[in-house]
mmCIF file of all heavy atoms in Angstrom:
data_model
loop_
_atom_site.group_PDB
_atom_site.id
_atom_site.type_symbol
_atom_site.label_atom_id
_atom_site.label_comp_id
_atom_site.label_asym_id
_atom_site.label_seq_id
_atom_site.Cartn_x
_atom_site.Cartn_y
_atom_site.Cartn_z
ATOM 1 N N SER I 842 -46.463 0.836 5.553
ATOM 2 C CA SER I 842 -47.018 1.647 4.485
ATOM 3 C C SER I 842 -47.818 0.741 3.637
ATOM 4 O O SER I 842 -48.237 1.202 2.556
ATOM 5 C CB SER I 842 -45.984 2.429 3.819
ATOM 6 O OG SER I 842 -45.117 1.518 3.212
ATOM 7 N N SER I 843 -48.118 -0.356 4.121
ATOM 8 C CA SER I 843 -48.976 -1.301 3.156
ATOM 9 C C SER I 843 -50.217 -1.695 4.052
ATOM 10 O O SER I 843 -50.302 -1.402 5.191
ATOM 11 C CB SER I 843 -48.291 -2.595 2.836
ATOM 12 O OG SER I 843 -48.285 -3.490 3.932
ATOM 13 N N SER I 844 -51.190 -2.353 3.406
ATOM 14 C CA SER I 844 -52.348 -2.778 4.100
ATOM 15 C C SER I 844 -52.162 -3.894 5.225
ATOM 16 O O SER I 844 -53.042 -4.240 5.898
ATOM 17 C CB SER I 844 -53.501 -3.267 3.160
ATOM 18 O OG SER I 844 -54.043 -2.175 2.633
ATOM 19 N N ALA I 845 -50.904 -4.463 5.202
ATOM 20 C CA ALA I 845 -50.459 -5.293 6.299
ATOM 21 C C ALA I 845 -50.810 -4.710 7.673
ATOM 22 O O ALA I 845 -51.242 -5.295 8.595
ATOM 23 C CB ALA I 845 -49.075 -5.730 6.115
ATOM 24 N N ALA I 846 -50.560 -3.319 7.742
ATOM 25 C CA ALA I 846 -50.788 -2.528 8.984
ATOM 26 C C ALA I 846 -52.336 -2.591 9.332
ATOM 27 O O ALA I 846 -52.657 -2.426 10.435
ATOM 28 C CB ALA I 846 -50.247 -1.086 8.780
ATOM 29 N N LYS I 847 -53.146 -2.903 8.287
ATOM 30 C CA LYS I 847 -54.587 -2.992 8.669
ATOM 31 C C LYS I 847 -55.022 -4.385 8.942
ATOM 32 O O LYS I 847 -56.141 -4.715 9.123
ATOM 33 C CB LYS I 847 -55.411 -2.444 7.398
ATOM 34 C CG LYS I 847 -55.103 -1.058 7.151
ATOM 35 C CD LYS I 847 -56.014 -0.641 5.847
ATOM 36 C CE LYS I 847 -55.659 0.782 5.356
ATOM 37 N NZ LYS I 847 -56.419 0.972 4.047
ATOM 38 N N GLY I 848 -54.030 -5.366 8.714
ATOM 39 C CA GLY I 848 -54.369 -6.675 9.063
ATOM 40 C C GLY I 848 -54.532 -7.616 7.852
ATOM 41 O O GLY I 848 -54.939 -8.738 7.964
ATOM 42 N N GLU I 849 -54.227 -7.042 6.576
ATOM 43 C CA GLU I 849 -54.386 -7.973 5.433
ATOM 44 C C GLU I 849 -53.365 -9.052 5.421
ATOM 45 O O GLU I 849 -52.243 -8.950 5.920
ATOM 46 C CB GLU I 849 -54.254 -7.073 4.183
ATOM 47 C CG GLU I 849 -54.531 -7.823 2.958
ATOM 48 C CD GLU I 849 -54.544 -7.199 1.569
ATOM 49 O OE1 GLU I 849 -53.551 -6.419 1.339
ATOM 50 O OE2 GLU I 849 -55.557 -7.257 0.836
ATOM 51 N N SER I 850 -53.842 -10.220 4.920
ATOM 52 C CA SER I 850 -52.810 -11.393 4.969
ATOM 53 C C SER I 850 -52.001 -11.336 3.676
ATOM 54 O O SER I 850 -52.356 -10.676 2.651
ATOM 55 C CB SER I 850 -53.650 -12.730 4.889
ATOM 56 O OG SER I 850 -54.394 -12.819 3.598
ATOM 57 N N VAL I 851 -50.884 -12.064 3.715
ATOM 58 C CA VAL I 851 -50.086 -12.157 2.540
ATOM 59 C C VAL I 851 -50.710 -12.681 1.303
ATOM 60 O O VAL I 851 -50.593 -12.320 0.218
ATOM 61 C CB VAL I 851 -48.717 -12.896 2.999
ATOM 62 C CG1 VAL I 851 -48.022 -13.517 1.775
ATOM 63 C CG2 VAL I 851 -47.819 -12.018 3.853
ATOM 64 N N ALA I 852 -51.531 -13.748 1.708
ATOM 65 C CA ALA I 852 -52.317 -14.361 0.628
ATOM 66 C C ALA I 852 -53.240 -13.474 -0.182
ATOM 67 O O ALA I 852 -53.250 -13.422 -1.398
ATOM 68 C CB ALA I 852 -53.126 -15.524 1.161
ATOM 69 N N ASP I 853 -53.896 -12.659 0.548
ATOM 70 C CA ASP I 853 -54.859 -11.620 -0.076
ATOM 71 C C ASP I 853 -54.035 -10.603 -0.828
ATOM 72 O O ASP I 853 -54.374 -10.200 -2.017
ATOM 73 C CB ASP I 853 -55.721 -10.877 0.940
ATOM 74 C CG ASP I 853 -56.882 -11.691 1.415
ATOM 75 O OD1 ASP I 853 -56.936 -12.913 0.881
ATOM 76 O OD2 ASP I 853 -57.748 -11.320 2.157
ATOM 77 N N THR I 854 -52.880 -10.048 -0.157
ATOM 78 C CA THR I 854 -52.058 -9.131 -0.853
ATOM 79 C C THR I 854 -51.605 -9.640 -2.244
ATOM 80 O O THR I 854 -51.689 -8.970 -3.218
ATOM 81 C CB THR I 854 -50.969 -8.709 -0.031
ATOM 82 O OG1 THR I 854 -51.464 -8.219 1.196
ATOM 83 C CG2 THR I 854 -50.091 -7.574 -0.711
ATOM 84 N N ILE I 855 -51.052 -10.817 -2.178
ATOM 85 C CA ILE I 855 -50.442 -11.290 -3.500
ATOM 86 C C ILE I 855 -51.507 -11.673 -4.612
ATOM 87 O O ILE I 855 -51.246 -11.420 -5.696
ATOM 88 C CB ILE I 855 -49.565 -12.644 -3.207
ATOM 89 C CG1 ILE I 855 -48.593 -12.785 -4.364
ATOM 90 C CG2 ILE I 855 -50.354 -13.800 -2.869
ATOM 91 C CD1 ILE I 855 -47.624 -11.789 -4.633
ATOM 92 N N ARG I 856 -52.640 -11.949 -4.087
ATOM 93 C CA ARG I 856 -53.790 -12.252 -5.130
ATOM 94 C C ARG I 856 -53.903 -11.036 -5.879
ATOM 95 O O ARG I 856 -54.247 -10.943 -7.084
ATOM 96 C CB ARG I 856 -55.051 -12.616 -4.374
ATOM 97 C CG ARG I 856 -55.089 -14.121 -4.125
ATOM 98 C CD ARG I 856 -56.467 -14.388 -3.655
ATOM 99 N NE ARG I 856 -56.610 -15.781 -3.368
ATOM 100 C CZ ARG I 856 -57.465 -16.335 -2.494
ATOM 101 N NH1 ARG I 856 -58.080 -15.532 -1.627
ATOM 102 N NH2 ARG I 856 -57.561 -17.597 -2.314
ATOM 103 N N VAL I 857 -54.022 -9.832 -5.212
ATOM 104 C CA VAL I 857 -54.210 -8.540 -5.853
ATOM 105 C C VAL I 857 -53.078 -8.130 -6.632
ATOM 106 O O VAL I 857 -53.224 -7.693 -7.870
ATOM 107 C CB VAL I 857 -54.661 -7.490 -4.768
ATOM 108 C CG1 VAL I 857 -54.753 -6.125 -5.357
ATOM 109 C CG2 VAL I 857 -55.931 -8.006 -4.018
#
Side-chain angles (χ1 to χ4, degrees):
S842 64
S843 79
S844 281
K847 300 179 183 170
E849 187 175 48
S850 68
V851 159
D853 282 3
T854 303
I855 194 68
R856 277 185 175 150
V857 175

